Each structure stands twice: as C-alpha cells, then as structure tokens.
Amino acid sequence: MTRLGAIFRPQLPPERLRTIARLADSTGLDELWLWEDCFREAGISAAAAALAWTERVRVGVGLLPVPLRNVALTAMEAATLHRMFPDRVTLGVGHGVQDWMGQVGARAASPLTLLREYTLALRGLLNGERITTEGRYVTLDDVALDWPPRGGAEVLVGGIGPRTLRLSGEVADGTVLNEVFSPDGVREARRIIEEGRAAAGRDAGSAHRIVVYLFTATGVDASARLQRELTGAGLTGVPGLGVAGDAAEVADTVQRFADAGADTVVLLPTADEPDPEGFIRFVGDDVRPLVK
C-alpha cells in the first residue's frame, strides 16, 4: 500500500510543530516529513520532538546535508532516535544546497564522492559494524556504535541528477525525489536507480524505497497558489508537477505517482498555505482514505 505523508515546512516557526505533529498522529497520515534547511530548523532535534509528542506517525527527515555533519555524530543521533522510537524513523541524506554549504565553509569539491563515502559509512555504523576507513572526506578509525539500532536502519539518499540517482541505487536503501519530479520523471529515476543497483551487484529482489514530494494546494485559490509556487521554483514548463483541488483530485494524482513507482508520496503545501493545520487534517482525514 502506498504510504501518504505531509511536510512541515521549516518556514513555519518551530513552536508550530507540536500542534502539527499531534494532528498528523491523530489523523490517518502515515508519515510527517521535516526539512533541515539552512538556516531554519535542525532536522534531528525537530524529529526527536515530533516523535516524543506522538505515538503512531512515522517521522522522516529529508534531507540531512552531509557537508555539515560528521558521519559519526549523525550515526549516533540516528541510532538514538531508532532505539527510542523503533520503526518510526526515516532519515535521508544529501549534498545540501551548495550555496548554503559555501556560506558555512563546508562546500565539498566533489559532492558525489563525499556522499558515497558518507552513506557507506553511515549505513555500516547503523548496521552495527566496526569501521576503519580513510577516504577523501570520511575518516573513521576503529569506530562502532555502542547502541546501534536493533536490526539496523535504512538510509535514504536524496538526489535529482542521474549520477546521484545512480549512486543512491548503489549504496542506499531508498531515494528521496523532490518536487521537481513528475510521474514520468519518477519512472526514469527508478530506471537509473535500478541501473546503479545492478552495477553494484545488489539483490534485484530487495526493496529500494522511493519517496516523492508533491506540491499540493486545496481550498480557496488553490490553483493560483500552486501556480505561484511552480513559478517561483522555475517549474512552470514541466508537465505533471503538483496538484490543486479537492481530496479526490489529490488522491488521483497520488495514485499516478504510485503507479509510476513511488512507495511514499509526501504532500508539500505551498509556502503561502493559509492553514497549515487544516492542510494536515485534509491530507490525513480526507485524502488518505481515498489512496489505495
């Protein structure tokens, strides 16, 4: 069954998260996703709070920018969340916005090399391995977690370009595709990811989860708000992006993404969404029952 989620945009102040998280938990929403955007809200601390305030909903963070974070620290934080809230945590890592990485002196000369080294090390640590490695960016000397997650933990990679998507297939457990992907784009992304999996000799029968963000607007001026969002992102020329309408129209669009290969579709409200709490109710109470 397709999982359905919604995003708490970090343009909202952190104190709004508690109400949003509790609404996500009390409705039929499967997942609540958070962003670690510079220089707004941190992903791990926000996820810990959202998990503590809730009982059921799964919390995802997409994405943790790897240039900002030592991999051992990320592994410690991720493992702590997984141990305290088993089966309720999804973490994705990515290159980070390069301009932001430059602002803090963390821009890597080879983001792809960094992401490869980082993802391999992070997955190994979360799977309870003891790791010694000296790469271009990641160095670990006899490092192992005292409290790795029971049974390991999945690590997703976020990507847009074909090289990053192929890398995700090679080294990650899943991929986060942002809002620039149409259903046709999801199909092509999955094809590239599968190429990477095959090149790495990974089991073709094993799961590789695809999470897709979908611009969504409902209620008053929904079409106009969606259009403003797409225009601001420079995406007006890409067919099949976003949905504006009632629950049935949104559910139909979610199904098209699921048919294209998305395992989880996460609805992204517009930046000018007038009622973020109402958006969560809409997704959980109205859309979720209509999604297969």
Side-chain angles (χ1 to χ4, degrees), residues 8-18 41:
F8 175 86
R9 295 183 66 138
Q11 288 87 349
L12 293 173
E15 57 269 24
R16 297 282 292 274
L17 178 58
R18 183 174 183 174
E41 292 153 16

Side-chain angles (χ1 to χ4, degrees), residues 45 55 62 71 93 102 120 159 161 191 225 244 268-270 273 291:
S45 54
E55 298 291 336
V71 68
V93 296
L120 288 170
R191 183 190 67 78
R225 287 190 284 111
L268 170 60
T270 60
E273 166 59 53
V291 175

Side-chain angles (χ1 to χ4, degrees), residues 135-151:
R136 181 174 177 181
Y137 296 102
V138 174
T139 298
L140 298 171
D141 182 9
D142 194 32
V143 175
L145 297 175
D146 282 8
W147 299 104
R150 295 182 177 92

Side-chain angles (χ1 to χ4, degrees), residues 65-89:
V66 300
L68 281 178
R69 297 173 155 274
N70 183 281
V71 68
L73 177 61
T74 299
M76 292 161 59
E77 292 181 321
T80 300
L81 289 181
H82 281 285
R83 296 283 296 220
M84 292 193 299
F85 306 101
D87 300 320
R88 293 185 56 209
V89 182

